């Protein structure tokens, strides 16, 4: 299904080369301050064509809001919004579509649906994330009112073998957005950019990792059994296209387990903000690993694909986290917490 | 909430030191061959007290089936089953319960529910997994009839810094169960056992990783957007107590990203059996990282806690995977796949 | 599926002649005062064998609670409870089970599940309502704390062609329970009882109606589109075995539409407490029509079936209404109602 | 929430006087023949301004499809479609909006959402049913392929005190649509039309009933406990604005219970096509009672409101029934029916 969340529920729709992509957000309370400009700004952060590092496609991505907002506030009714696919240019994709694109899900998709959407990967395209970013913008508007202490900041922590140092605790999104790699460690960011441009010139692509720091949560968000906060975050992150792993708690956990002679010890900070499935009030650190994008070789050289998807994934992952938090916040409100 | 799955839905209940723990499975089709003995056998695999490596608690865990099975076949109605908590011995826990147990979720739980269940961690206890194993046994009975090619085999791939070699492709559960560590690499398994016994003697505990190999799936299982097969598996694994990370695709993914000078490349096998959110017919490899259990020091020395939870987590993770597959299989059946 | 509700969710299990019938309630907040005796008292109200008017079966129906309650308060965890089927006496049913029982769902059930549960109708039996009454008792405990003004009172408003007068506004359950027919209009109740005994002597059975008055609700409970309060109540009532119609608003609505020369007018009270899908603070009146039970003739004479199910349906319908209100109340809490 | 259905799920959005109303259908299988013209034709049947009996508003209601359909077939992805609110003319409503409109949910809505959508009743407006009709058109396309024997035909069976005779078994929608009242009993239909025009001239409005005949279902559709076919239909019908009662089985059930001296007997046909919550293969008869629309007096005289909503409710109820059947059909497919 194409819905995410229980009480704060996002449904996305749209094929990458159909008329439009968009979303319906159901379950946002009434009276939340939300301007169309905030949704537009969120979309602008995920859009390609922002630098030499990303796809040359120019998706202007002007959002149109059909319902649920009136005079800058939510009505408590479903918020429907969409973006027309103006820059479809199917000709560009013609070189790859006659056959299944290597590394793409085309063959699997055809087996499942007994057709292959000739329009650029259909729903598996990264363009589907436009709907997620719309949903995330609504979720953040709700969190801004209900949980103003909450912060969600993601950044590119590694590209290929190049890893950034741990950023300062006070890191904000503006700091991250300053560099086109979305890596706040400037020296490392320049090296990453060089590696991405080099890979692009060779028709190659690069994977890496995105770290997300989630702060300012109240104690007790999440569920103790199924729906643990860590399971909701893992599900949210794993639902993004090229994600191939998620760890939480101390960012360096899997590596630590390998260092010869060391025994991984739990310490005050080793719970990574989540205990028994619930937030414990400390910051949460989520590390998300991403495979290199699949389009390669000639197609990558000629086409309009990203040689490294990481910088553009940052706002998508932030949106997914905000959707989880908005949903768990409403769930938290539902249950009276008295003895 | 305490339910898992949409069409094949498990609900677990029971506090670790209340009268019983158990489960209701709703959505299992009628006529599936399922003996109570199969559920019992599954429970026997997760039970502690099987070797020096696990807790000394003796949980006989005799399952009682209340509904849904008649003359060795499912009725198509909810299957309710439970296990009484015979070996509660609350006195043993008295040393830890007056205060919040360090490293446990007691403080978080109290903040959320405005009470702390004095009965051994309540629902956050590993004992809740009895219900999951019951559910997994029902799911495996369904898969045995509907998807007989499907195989789910988990094993302990690392303990602390000790890592096993990749096991042969033909690995079966019986091979894994032969060693109390549930590591099929015998030489490494002995080293793991020694490390666990050593940690136990020092009141310490060890984390590590469990690998799961899922084979024999049809092409197209899963959902393309939300509910991707990888997201469902990540959610399933992350819902288990001490799990702190999940990766899929080539087992060594996160490490590969770090090796200086290497660029992580995608290859034929790098999709790890999942493309565009759907199974592609190849084996899936899931690696699950686990933190060391929290109970430490004096409590660990005197109490009945596991110094290394990994061997006992294997059947729990296998159960979670089988629940995901049973649910996705029914969902797959629901949608006519014709052009 | 066998679950009811979204945030306050009841799952029932058990075949009428299997080992037990019961329920799991998931989503009841922690700290709600709830004694096992309250659940037992609710079950006692639905039990047959209470008078000459109902089945002679003696179901002692002793509830056993497996989880979720500790020292008279809910833990916030799933509440599992069941009743053993002590008085199964399958021999009694032998006269009817070799063939499909006329008027029963046996043939339909067999077509659906490719088997007929030989144990007395399986899940379609009225005995499944034991689980609903358990759920209703938990829901009422929650409402008692959270919405103490809420009242739910049902009574038998007609049996066959015999109709009761509108009872006084102050009607309480104790008033209803005084007469074995559960009709508070005493003169009419005696006539109903005579009609039921007469029908029984002829191996016949009687339908009729139950009215439910729901008072003390806050303004705004329900949902404006799907999940309207009236739709939730209709769904809840229609899910009970022999129910064949539901009306709400002024109790006499359908008849009024028929009276020659009259035009049904809306008036202050004609909304019946629900407007735009939401409660408007006024009392709600729900009228539920029931078909005569299906077991007839010889089987009815010899067996242990109810010639008129109406008195025993009253607590079941009250339970269903309380489940709807508990669920909508949690949903109401979830959404901040500010401008 | 604004979603309906589990596997075949409709989400509607849009305020009556916002930019648009529409729907997303999630869960329709791929490859179903569905032309935009079929959706448009369904919308044309519900649109006002078709005769002197309905509102003078001219809603051209041109549907725009954003996703999920390609070259006349569904893609298996969400189908998003909407209709712009071209004929909003807010001035017309100005006479009623400054104050709460008598009989409308305005006061309740304001209490719930702490605002009153000044745009004509927001989501409680009958205009929200545009989304339902879009969903119904998709559901009918699925049923046409999967259950071609299924038929759903509704008609106006009474207006005020004027009741139609039982129509012939072969009744088709075209027969119903021939008369602007959507009553197939022509003599009675003319009397109904006269009564409606008379009521309109007095600023009055009329209620009545719609009957729905559902045929050609396989045995076993529905669920035995919660989600009974009759409960799903009751929920579907009760979710429509002015519906105030639903009965099923023999159409004249509630009246029969009242006829002095008669005892309502069950007979071969008295199950009305549903037994034990499941379809039994016989036709189902659903009778839906509707209150007179709330807008009255001066507002009704000047405004653009329907004096009798019944003819326009017929296609909306048919849509709701088709949504239930499509959803239950997918659910039916999900569960293997073997012994």
């Amino acid at each position: 299904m194409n819905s995410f969340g229980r009480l704060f529920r996002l449904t996305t729709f749209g094929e990458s080369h159909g008329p439009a992509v968009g979303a319906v957000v159901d379950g946002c309370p009434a009276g939340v301050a939300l301007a169309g400009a905030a949704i537009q700004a969120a979309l602008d952060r995920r859009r390609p064509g922002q630098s030499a590092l990303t796809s040359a496609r120019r998706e202007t991505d002007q959002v149109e809001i059909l319902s649920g907002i009136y005079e800058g506030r939510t009505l408590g009714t479903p918020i429907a919004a969409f973006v027309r696919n103006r820059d479809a240019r199917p000709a560009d994709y013609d070189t790859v579509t006659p056959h299944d694109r290597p590394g793409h899900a085309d063959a699997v998709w055809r087996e499942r649906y007994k057709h292959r959407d000739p329009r650029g990967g259909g729903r598996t395209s990264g363009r589907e994330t436009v709907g997620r970013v719309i949903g995330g913008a609504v979720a953040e508007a709700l969190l801004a009112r209900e949980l103003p202490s909450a912060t969600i900041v993601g950044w590119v922590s590694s590209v290929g073998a190049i890893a950034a140092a741990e950023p300062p605790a006070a890191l904000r999104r503006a700091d991250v957005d300053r560099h086109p790699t979305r890596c706040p460690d400037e020296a490392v960011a320049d090296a990453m950019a060089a590696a991405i441009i080099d890979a692009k010139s060779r028709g190659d692509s690069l994977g890496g990792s995105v770290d997300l720091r989630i702060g300012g949560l109240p104690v007790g968000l999440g569920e103790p059994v199924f729906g643990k906060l860590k399971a909701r975050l893992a599900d949210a992150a794993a639902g993004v296209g090229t994600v191939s792993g998620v760890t939480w708690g101390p960012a360096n956990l899997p590596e630590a387990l390998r260092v010869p002679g060391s025994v991984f010890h739990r310490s005050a900070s080793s719970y990574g903000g989540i205990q028994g499935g619930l937030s414990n009030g400390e910051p949460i650190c989520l590390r998300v690993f991403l495979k290199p994008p699949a389009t390669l070789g000639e197609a990558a050289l000629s086409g309009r694909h990203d040689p490294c998807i990481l910088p553009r994934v940052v706002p998508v992952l932030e949106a997914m986290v905000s959707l989880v938090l908005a949903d768990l916040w409403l769930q938290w409100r539902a249950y009276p917490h008295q003895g």
Side-chain angles (χ1 to χ4, degrees), chain A:
Chain A
M1 307 292 270
N2 296 272
S3 293
F4 186 81
R6 280 208 322 145
L7 291 176
F8 189 98
R9 177 186 285 269
L10 169 72
T11 302
T12 71
F13 60 81
E15 290 73 51
S16 55
H17 288 238
V21 288
V24 178
V25 177
D26 195 9
C28 183
V32 173
L34 176 59
I39 298 178
Q40 187 62 57
L43 287 170
D44 291 346
R45 284 188 76 219
R46 83 157 274 291
R47 179 182 92 212
Q50 296 176 87
S51 81
L53 304 182
T54 57
S55 159
R57 272 170 300 146
R58 223 150 264 289
E59 301 174 4
T60 49
D61 284 354
Q62 285 300 316
V63 71
E64 181 176 351
I65 295 166
L66 292 178
S67 66
I69 301 178
Y70 182 66
E71 296 184 347
R73 293 199 175 267
T74 59
L75 285 166
T77 59
I79 298 164
F82 70 100
V83 163
R84 292 198 187 272
N85 291 325
R86 293 180 203 275
D87 184 33
R89 292 185 21 208
D92 270 34
Y93 283 83
D94 277 358
T95 53
V96 282
T97 46
H99 312 292
D100 291 340
R101 293 165 301 166
H104 276 276
D106 294 343
V108 175
W109 185 269
R110 189 180 53 241
E111 179 65 26
R112 165 74 178 256
Y113 294 102
K114 303 298 178 205
H115 70 79
R116 180 164 61 93
D117 182 359
R119 294 180 293 180
R123 291 283 288 159
T124 61
S125 155
R127 189 143 175 80
E128 180 272 335
T129 60
V130 161
R132 303 185 187 213
V133 169
I134 291 171
V138 181
E140 298 213 338
L142 174 64
L143 293 172
R145 186 181 78 178
E146 296 290 322
L147 272 180
S149 63
T151 56
I152 306 164
V153 180
W155 68 94
V156 173
S157 53
S158 71
V159 169
I162 308 166
E166 183 79 3
L171 187 75
R172 292 158 312 138
R173 286 189 189 168
D175 304 325
V176 172
D177 284 354
R178 234 181 336 241
H179 197 281
T181 54
R182 286 210 166 100
C183 171
D185 179 337
E186 229 167 303
V188 168
D190 288 341
M192 288 174 173
I196 294 169
I197 287 167
D198 176 59
K200 192 181 180 179
S201 71
R202 290 179 288 110
D204 199 358
S205 64
L206 287 167
S209 62
V210 169
D211 280 22
L212 289 131
R213 215 181 262 154
I214 307 161
L217 300 189
V219 176
L221 219 59
E223 288 291 313
V225 178
F226 304 115
K228 282 186 169 75
L229 178 50
K230 61 180 183 168
R232 294 294 299 271
L233 292 172
D235 170 48
V240 173
T242 55
V243 169
S244 61
V246 187
T247 64
W248 47 96
N252 59 344
L253 180 62
E255 290 70 30
L257 286 162
R258 297 274 174 251
V259 181
S262 101
V263 171
F264 180 71
H265 273 269
R266 72 279 103 221
S267 71
S269 69
S270 77
Y271 301 103
I274 306 174
Q275 276 177 287
L278 309 172
S279 59
N280 68 3
E282 291 171 24
I284 293 167
C285 181
L286 200 71
R287 175 162 289 177
V288 182
F289 297 96
L290 293 107
K291 285 188 308 194
T295 304
L296 290 174
E298 228 174 300
L301 288 168
S302 67
R304 295 166 303 128
H305 295 274
D306 295 270
C308 178
I309 203 74
L310 289 155
R312 292 183 56 212
V313 163
V314 169
V316 174
L317 286 170
E318 288 170 343
M320 293 309 296
V321 169
S322 68
L323 287 163
V324 168
L325 298 184
D327 194 34
L328 291 176
W329 171 250
L330 293 183
Q331 196 173 320
W332 157 279
R333 281 186 51 92
Y335 294 100
H337 300 277
Q338 60 211 61

